[in-house]
Amino acid sequence: PNFDARLDSLRKLILDGRPLDEIAKDRALSTTVDFLTVFFNDDDPVVRNTALEVYIRRVYRAHRVRDFAVCEGPGGVPACTWMFQYSDTPAPDTPVRRGMMVVAPNFDDPEGFIEKSIESYSKFVGDSEVRCNGENLNVFIAVFDGNNSTAVDETKVVSQSEYALRRNNVLLYDLGIRTVTFAFPQIPRQPRYFSFNHCDDYVESPLRRDMRPTFPYLLELTKLSVNYDLLRLPAIGRNAQNWLGTEKSDSQVALGRPQNQSVFFRAISHTDFSIPGLAGKILLRAMDEVEVALNDPRVSPTASSNIFIHVLQEYDSDQASIVRDAAKILDSLIPQFAPRLQSLRVDNIELRIRVKGAKGIEPLQLIASSATTSGEWLQTNAYVGFPDPVTGVTKEYRPLLGEGDKLTSMPFPTANPIQVKRAAARRVGSTYAFDFLNLLEIAVIRSWSNRNSVTQLDLKSILSAKELVMEDDGELTLSSRPAGLNTIGMVGWLVSMRTPEYPSGREIVLIANDVTFKAGSFGVDEDDFFFKAS
């Protein structure tokens, strides 16, 4: 439909009589929420006020929003205020934040607009707490000229905005304003967003450009920026982003290893993953986005890729059953899409799920990762997140049901030795030897799936393997040591697998050449190993 028809549909949606909190969660808003800015200057006060509230409740869907009120901004322009908390930390431990959004008629005098807005904001804040543990709490959003159809001159906007904010930075700090966001509608295109953080002295943050105010928090972008230099790549979906991350160099090391690249796909989803078939569609879209990114000429042919999806749907059930169902879905999708996941070099899939608990929303992280010391490809583990109630950043992930390793590192880690070797194998057009075990396991699972019998099996027991290790005396022994500790270019395993032809299990010896060890060259040790293993 043309733009006017989309606006008519959007107007009918927000005026359909349902509670506004329910409308704000409607999936129909996934691609049209930004166009609510068009209605912020509507002649009908009902449309205008409803659009303001639906927009805030949608953008802050992952927060506890309360005390929303429509008011007049400086000069009588439309404005609104609200209070909010992070919803994934206990309410008594979480500070209350305040937000104000003002709709300005134009961007002719940003400094004067900021000064007048500060006066209005000061009345709203009053004598309430504006900081917690030294951290500013509040946010301010300005929407300029909701009916503007011209493209935004971003250089002009950034320079004038930074100047106006620096002139008033003391007053902004006194009000506890953590982030200032300026939005510029440009009908019929998507609005432009520019964010200015207190921690950067209100200098524009390129990382947050063209993002709604809550997007960096929902996509956990701060985890990426610590260890990676980030470059934003084109993406198809409005709620999806692709980033090219290049590992930051270590200034303390004179000669380091090559700086690996990773493509990070980050997205939010309003889809209910429990509906049959929808999870597969979401993963397919994610793979389409990753494929677009990997085809960018700036991306190295050996770059790995990572998928992160934050599901905003809140599930009202116990943690164990939610994770069990989600893990079952993920474990079934990985074998189904294994060839494409392999071709896209996907090393990590993260699914963030929100579960309603007695103390609020409990964030669960379902992670299928190839970065484990076991070397398994996309091994699934479930974790409970523990965010900081002030910053909202997850400080720690603890295993749910006692599975997996405890994760205490906030930044997204750089490549570990296994991933470095995997990249080296890809560089020469090969596959890392230890990945063949998981490819074999996936092939076995798919063979069962073709017979519609896989549901009767425990997928965890469908294949097991012990590594064959040559000791100093030249004899082979079975070992469960971590992957990648081989000291020769030949590796092997005694594999037990349950196939449709042998449901009770059968054993085979699997031998592989490790191209990451001395380029996979053969010597006496490799010849002895191959002879004894075979």
Side-chain angles (χ1 to χ4, degrees):
N2 61 35
F3 186 70
D4 290 336
R6 295 178 69 185
L7 288 184
D8 288 340
S9 298
L10 184 58
R11 183 188 295 264
K12 292 177 181 177
L13 174 65
I14 65 176
L15 298 177
D16 68 2
R18 288 180 293 162
L20 298 187
D21 187 51
E22 182 180 336
I23 295 174
K25 296 178 181 179
D26 197 302
R27 287 182 58 195
L29 284 175
S30 294
T31 57
T32 58
V33 59
D34 291 305
F35 294 133
L36 287 171
T37 56
V38 176
F39 298 136
F40 290 173
N41 280 314
D42 198 275
D43 295 332
D44 186 341
V46 175
V47 174
R48 182 172 63 243
N49 296 346
T50 302
L52 288 169
E53 183 166 356
V54 171
Y55 178 86
I56 292 300
R57 291 192 179 277
R58 178 69 172 200
V59 172
Y60 285 85
R61 178 179 176 179
H63 300 73
R64 303 184 191 96
V65 176
R66 61 181 178 86
D67 298 340
F68 180 91
V70 175
C71 58
E72 286 190 355
V77 299
C80 62
T81 60
W82 68 97
M83 298 182 188
F84 66 104
Q85 292 176 297
Y86 290 124
S87 62
D88 46 11
T89 53
D93 303 332
T94 308
V96 176
R97 303 164 185 270
R98 285 165 172 77
M100 172 179 275
M101 182 168 69
V102 178
V103 182
N106 54 60
F107 192 68
D108 295 341
D109 181 19
E111 185 176 352
F113 169 76
I114 291 295
E115 292 173 353
K116 293 175 182 177
S117 298
I118 286 175
E119 295 178 10
S120 300
Y121 206 113
S122 180
K123 295 175 183 177
F124 167 53
V125 171
D127 58 357
S128 62
E129 292 291 334
V130 297
R131 269 177 290 279
C132 183
N133 297 339
E135 297 278 353
N136 285 13
L137 298 175
N138 301 329
V139 298
F140 175 70
I141 305 172
V143 181
F144 293 94
D145 194 0
N147 292 309
N148 184 26
S149 60
T150 58
V152 174
D153 183 347
E154 59 186 43
T155 302
K156 173 185 174 182
V157 166
V158 170
S159 61
Q160 291 189 5
S161 300
E162 289 180 347
Y163 178 79
L165 293 171
R166 281 198 301 269
R167 292 280 300 237
N168 294 278
N169 63 353
V170 175
L171 296 176
L172 292 169
Y173 176 79
D174 290 342
L175 293 174
I177 296 180
R178 184 183 186 89
T179 303
V180 176
T181 301
F182 288 167
F184 294 83
Q186 42 180 15
I187 300 171
R189 297 179 295 275
Q190 296 284 355
R192 301 295 306 275
Y193 289 95
F194 302 87
S195 294
F196 309 83
N197 296 326
H198 160 255
C199 59
D200 299 323
D201 197 24
Y202 300 111
V203 172
E204 197 246 346
S205 171
L207 187 71
R208 295 169 176 253
R209 182 173 293 182
D210 294 327
M211 294 190 206
R212 299 172 204 136
T214 56
F215 244 52
Y217 159 70
L218 295 175
L219 299 182
E220 300 185 2
L221 291 181
T222 53
K223 291 176 61 175
L224 306 182
S225 60
V226 175
N227 289 330
Y228 291 87
D229 292 320
L230 296 175
L231 175 67
R232 193 166 175 180
L233 301 175
I236 303 169
R238 178 61 183 164
N239 293 323
Q241 295 180 2
N242 279 321
W243 293 87
L244 174 61
T246 303
E247 290 184 9
K248 293 182 178 179
S249 58
D250 190 345
S251 59
Q252 305 300 319
V253 179
L255 182 62
R257 59 178 172 81
Q259 293 173 272
N260 291 312
Q261 285 188 341
S262 292
V263 168
F264 297 98
F265 169 77
R266 322 289 281 186
I268 63 171
S269 175
H270 300 274
T271 300
D272 185 350
F273 268 59
S274 63
I275 299 176
L278 286 185
K281 291 181 180 179
I282 295 298
L283 186 56
L284 278 172
R285 291 175 190 168
M287 290 189 291
D288 289 342
E289 296 277 11
V290 170
E291 186 169 3
V292 169
L294 291 177
N295 286 329
D296 192 291
R298 293 167 290 186
V299 178
S300 165
T302 63
S304 62
S305 54
N306 305 267
I307 294 174
F308 172 91
I309 301 173
H310 190 157
V311 182
L312 297 185
Q313 173 80 22
E314 296 173 0
Y315 296 93
D316 191 4
S317 183
D318 64 285
Q319 289 182 341
S321 61
I322 289 292
V323 168
R324 184 170 55 250
D325 293 343
K328 185 177 179 180
I329 292 173
L330 194 57
D331 284 339
S332 65
L333 291 177
I334 290 174
Q336 181 181 348
F337 298 119
R340 193 174 182 199
L341 290 170
Q342 272 288 118
S343 67
L344 296 176
R345 307 189 289 277
V346 175
D347 281 351
N348 204 68
I349 300 176
E350 293 184 53
L351 188 64
R352 186 179 173 95
I353 307 170
R354 305 168 62 81
V355 179
K356 294 180 182 178
K359 297 182 180 180
I361 301 299
E362 297 172 336
L364 302 181
Q365 208 92 346
L366 199 65
I367 301 177
S369 176
S370 304
T372 58
T373 56
S374 67
E376 293 186 45
W377 182 67
L378 297 182
Q379 176 188 13
T380 304
N381 288 304
Y383 299 88
V384 183
F386 292 86
D388 186 299
V390 179
T391 64
V393 176
T394 303
K395 300 179 295 184
E396 181 179 275
Y397 295 102
R398 297 177 188 170
L400 186 69
L401 308 177
E403 300 175 355
D405 300 323
K406 181 178 179 180
L407 305 180
T408 56
S409 176
M410 186 278 293
F412 195 93
T414 55
N416 63 21
I418 294 295
Q419 292 171 299
V420 171
K421 292 180 179 181
R422 186 174 286 124
R426 289 169 178 163
R427 195 174 296 116
V428 295
S430 184
T431 300
Y432 184 46
F434 285 84
D435 286 342
F436 281 106
L437 281 175
N438 298 94
L439 297 176
L440 179 61
E441 181 179 19
I442 288 169
V444 173
I445 293 174
R446 296 183 74 179
S447 69
W448 278 102
S449 300
N450 293 336
R451 299 195 178 202
N452 299 317
S453 304
V454 71
T455 54
Q456 304 171 9
L457 290 173
D458 177 10
L459 295 183
K460 299 295 183 182
S461 65
I462 208 165
L463 184 144
S464 60
K466 294 281 189 179
E467 186 179 356
L468 296 169
V469 178
M470 183 178 288
E471 303 292 349
D472 294 338
D473 60 3
E475 295 300 318
L476 294 182
T477 60
L478 295 176
S479 173
S480 298
R481 69 181 183 179
L485 297 182
N486 52 298
T487 56
I488 62 175
M490 189 67 69
V491 290
W493 301 268
L494 179 63
V495 180
S496 175
M497 56 184 182
R498 301 168 64 187
T499 65
E501 296 79 12
Y502 294 86
S504 59
R506 66 186 300 190
E507 288 187 341
I508 65 168
V509 173
L510 179 65
I511 305 174
N513 179 218
D514 183 3
V515 298
T516 68
F517 185 89
K518 296 183 179 180
S521 58
F522 268 64
V524 174
D525 290 337
E526 286 78 14
D527 184 67
D528 286 344
F529 182 93
F530 183 83
F531 175 77
K532 292 179 179 179
S534 59

